[in-house]
């Protein structure tokens, strides 16, 4: 039951009105029961029915640690925090990386539970914020379990902060027409991105990267660009659907993407891409490293760790968090190189001017996009269990097979083979993909430059011809579902649910 399935729509049609009609004291218990049902159904769909008990156990462990933090002070409080954080990280590490030790005839490894990284990171941030005094310790297990397992965020985020979300569960929520309209706008946009853009591009990407040795440079470069867009629109679309569900229920969830491809440097890019994760790394990894007193460990030679080391560590952890295979590690190292290289350039050449000419800004955006797309080749290899050699093979293929006639033939054959064996459908596929990308990037462009990155649903509402946009989104969404019924549906729980 993914957030773009018809089963989920039926689930939502029951859950939302019942939740809004229930007395306040029953709203959280009902929403928790609905969330656990959703998670169990998701686990069953993946052949992993034991996921729900693990989710409940992690919630219970973090809840008890939070209560212990409230009751203890000084060294005891620090010890409780360490036990809680290390325990949660140990559980996460076991399920994420135990497969690396699988051997034929021996340990077979356990599959990673759906969304474990997201609800574990939410639990860790709760413990640290409670220890710091940034949020109150939660006394209700029902509300805390709902915070970690809320069905809109449990599989793929965004990673919510306890201080933001837990107080909302204490409030009474009733039907609000304005919020519902905002939610429906956002739901249409998010589903369009996932179904009509990301899933459609996935057809091309899967065919070309799955048989990359048989394709020339233009096709391999186009597949890398399409994969970059596929991941972005899948994940940003999923995050918008999650926020839409929250709005329908009266809850405000954090934004996760703010037009990242319009950033002019990687510092700006990471402040707009997967915001809940990058801010989590900033607050709970980078800042503790940067402010740690290491004078005793270094014999007084250093008081603070070099900023470069902290940045490198953050991006290395980011790569390793996504997976324990070498392609993900290389992807993380590339992000560290990009970010550190940027800082070194700023030190040598000075900070860029705030009001640079438009051509300079667009050249910088293009540079960021090219470097990001190059790194996505390794990310894609990690996602689809390809080797590092495959990733380098794809990159090597960028320098051969540039004949225009070959490119035209491969454009046709890739979709003809992977989609309907019909020339008309091949033309329709490319036309529909172009339509979806054009509409999404027009909306992103206007959001970035006209509306200054206000929330997506507010930008839609402010459009002069918004009803034309609504009709295009709905019609495109229906066309996307019809195309999927033709057999290329690669939708699941969202591409990031694997992490």
């Amino acid at each position: 039951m993914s957030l773009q399935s018809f089963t989920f729509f039926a689930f939502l049609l029951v859950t939302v009105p019942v939740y809004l009609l229930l007395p306040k004291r029953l709203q959280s218990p009902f929403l928790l029961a609905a969330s656990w049902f959703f998670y169990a159904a998701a686990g069953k769909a993946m052949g992993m029915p034991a996921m729900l008990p693990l989710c409940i156990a992690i919630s219970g462990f973090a809840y008890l640690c939070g209560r212990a933090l409230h009751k203890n002070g000084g060294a005891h409080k620090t010890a409780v925090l360490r036990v809680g954080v290390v325990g949660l990280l140990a559980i996460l590490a076991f399920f994420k990386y135990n497969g690396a030790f699988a051997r034929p005839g021996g340990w077979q490894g356990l599959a990673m539970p759906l969304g474990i990284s997201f609800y574990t990171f939410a639990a860790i941030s709760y413990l640290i914020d409670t220890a710091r005094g940034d949020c109150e310790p939660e006394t209700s297990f029902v509300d805390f379990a709902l915070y970690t397992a809320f069905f809109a965020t449990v599989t793929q985020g965004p990673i919510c902060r306890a201080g933001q979300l837990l107080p909302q569960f204490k409030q009474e929520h009733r039907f609000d027409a304005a919020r519902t309209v905002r939610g429906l706008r956002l739901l249409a946009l998010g589903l369009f991105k996932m179904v009509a853009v990301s899933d459609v591009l996935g057809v091309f990407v899967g065919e070309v990267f799955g048989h990359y040795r048989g394709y020339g440079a233009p096709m391999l470069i186009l597949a890398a660009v399409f994969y970059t867009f596929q991941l972005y629109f899948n994940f940003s679309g999923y995050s918008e659907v999650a926020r839409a569900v929250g709005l329908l229920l009266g809850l405000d969830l954090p934004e996760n993407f703010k037009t990242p491809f319009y950033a002019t440097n990687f510092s700006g890019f990471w402040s707009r891409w997967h915001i809940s994760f990058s801010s989590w790394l900033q607050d709970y990894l980078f800042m503790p490293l940067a402010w740690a007193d290491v004078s005793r460990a270094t014999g007084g030679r250093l008081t603070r760790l070099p900023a470069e080391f902290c940045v490198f560590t953050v991006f290395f952890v980011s790569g390793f968090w996504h997976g324990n295979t070498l392609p993900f590690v290389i992807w993380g190292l590339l992000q560290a190189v990009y970010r550190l290289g940027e800082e070194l350039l700023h030190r040598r050449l000075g900070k860029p001017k705030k009001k640079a000419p438009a051509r300079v800004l667009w050249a910088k955006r293009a540079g960021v996009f090219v470097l990001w797309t190059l790194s996505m080749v390794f990310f894609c290899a990690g996602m689809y269990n390809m080797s590092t050699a495959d990733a380098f093979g794809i990159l090597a293929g960028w320098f051969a097979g540039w004949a225009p006639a070959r490119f035209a033939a491969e454009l046709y054959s890739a979709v003809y083979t992977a989609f309907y064996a019909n020339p008309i459908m091949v033309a329709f596929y490319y036309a529909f993909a172009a339509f979806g990308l054009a509409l999404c990037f027009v909306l992103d462009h206007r959001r970035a430059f006209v509306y200054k990155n206000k929330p997506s649903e507010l930008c839609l509402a402010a459009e002069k011809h918004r009803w034309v946009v609504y009709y295009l989104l709905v019609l495109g969404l229906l066309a996307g579902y019809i195309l999927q019924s033709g057999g290329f549906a690669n939708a699941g729980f969202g591409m990031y649910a694997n992490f």
Side-chain angles (χ1 to χ4, degrees), residues 81-400:
L81 177 62
R82 288 174 178 170
V83 168
V85 172
V86 172
L88 290 169
L89 288 176
I91 294 170
L92 176 61
F94 171 77
F95 281 100
K96 282 184 75 73
Y97 307 119
N98 76 89
F101 303 98
R103 297 291 182 271
W107 173 255
Q108 298 301 303
L110 295 176
M112 187 178 71
L114 181 66
I116 186 173
S117 294
F118 294 96
Y119 59 78
T120 301
F121 272 27
I124 290 173
S125 69
Y126 162 75
L127 293 181
I128 296 175
D129 287 349
T130 300
R132 291 173 175 173
D134 293 336
C135 77
E136 293 295 322
E138 181 53 54
T139 58
S140 167
F141 175 71
V142 170
D143 285 343
F144 182 78
L146 180 55
Y147 160 69
T148 57
F150 178 42
F151 68 86
T153 62
V154 67
T155 61
Q156 200 172 314
I159 303 169
C160 299
R161 302 295 177 91
Q164 178 200 42
L165 191 56
L166 279 171
Q168 296 186 60
F169 295 144
K170 309 293 184 186
Q171 301 168 1
E172 184 177 21
H173 297 111
R174 294 290 177 242
F175 174 77
D176 184 293
R179 288 181 66 96
T180 300
V181 171
R182 283 181 61 195
L184 292 176
R185 288 194 195 105
L186 197 57
L187 185 67
L189 178 61
L191 288 173
F192 179 85
K193 288 181 177 180
M194 295 178 73
V195 176
V197 182
S198 178
D199 290 348
V200 171
L201 296 180
V203 181
F204 184 92
V205 172
E207 168 61 25
V208 175
F209 279 169
H211 307 89
Y212 69 89
R213 293 180 181 86
Y215 288 99
M219 287 292 286
L220 294 177
I221 293 173
L222 185 60
V225 172
F226 274 14
Y227 178 75
T228 301
F229 294 153
Q230 180 195 4
L231 182 68
Y232 169 56
F233 289 119
N234 181 279
F235 197 16
S236 65
Y238 192 102
S239 298
E240 285 168 342
V241 171
R243 286 190 59 238
V245 171
L247 288 170
L248 295 176
L249 294 167
L251 304 170
D252 287 309
L253 303 181
E255 288 188 274
N256 221 9
F257 291 85
K258 290 185 178 181
T259 60
F261 295 133
Y262 292 96
T264 57
N265 54 47
F266 276 96
S267 175
F269 182 91
W270 278 103
S271 68
R272 300 170 176 223
W273 176 279
H274 201 173
I275 299 169
S276 65
F277 177 58
S278 58
S279 63
W280 194 99
L281 291 176
Q282 170 81 12
D283 294 343
Y284 304 113
L285 181 58
F286 177 82
M287 295 305 295
L289 284 175
W291 288 100
D293 185 350
V294 296
S295 55
R296 181 180 298 180
T298 61
R301 291 187 298 273
L302 289 175
T303 303
R304 298 279 186 262
L305 291 170
E308 294 84 358
F309 174 81
C310 299
V311 170
F312 178 87
T313 301
V314 165
F315 283 109
F316 177 78
V317 169
S318 174
F320 203 68
W321 174 80
H322 284 91
N324 63 344
T325 58
L326 190 54
F328 282 125
V329 174
I330 293 175
W331 174 83
L333 292 176
L334 283 173
Q335 305 314 310
V337 169
Y338 296 161
R339 189 66 184 85
L340 290 175
E342 183 178 276
E343 286 299 317
L344 292 175
L345 284 174
H346 288 170
R347 290 180 187 179
R348 185 173 181 83
L349 304 176
K351 291 284 186 179
K353 296 179 181 179
K354 292 184 178 180
K355 293 186 178 180
R359 64 181 183 278
V360 174
L361 295 177
W362 281 106
K364 293 173 70 173
R365 292 183 184 109
V368 169
F369 180 78
V370 169
L371 292 174
W372 177 255
T373 300
L374 187 149
S375 73
M376 283 289 98
V377 173
F378 293 95
F379 195 93
C380 182
M383 280 279 289
Y384 294 106
N385 297 316
M386 300 167 71
S387 67
T388 306
D390 290 323
F392 280 111
I394 291 170
L395 292 176
W398 288 13
F399 301 95

Side-chain angles (χ1 to χ4, degrees), residues 11 30-40 146 149-152 154:
F11 169 81
F30 171 78
L31 197 57
L32 176 61
S35 296
W36 280 351
F37 171 81
F38 172 86
Y39 194 70
L146 180 55
F150 178 42
F151 68 86
V154 67

Side-chain angles (χ1 to χ4, degrees), residues 419-447:
F419 193 33
Y420 289 112
N422 185 308
I424 295 177
M425 292 306 298
V426 171
F428 179 75
Y429 170 83
Y430 283 114
F432 188 73
F435 157 74
L437 286 171
L439 180 57
C440 284
F441 274 112
V442 166
L443 293 176
D444 257 18
H445 186 276
R446 292 184 60 78
R447 184 186 179 195

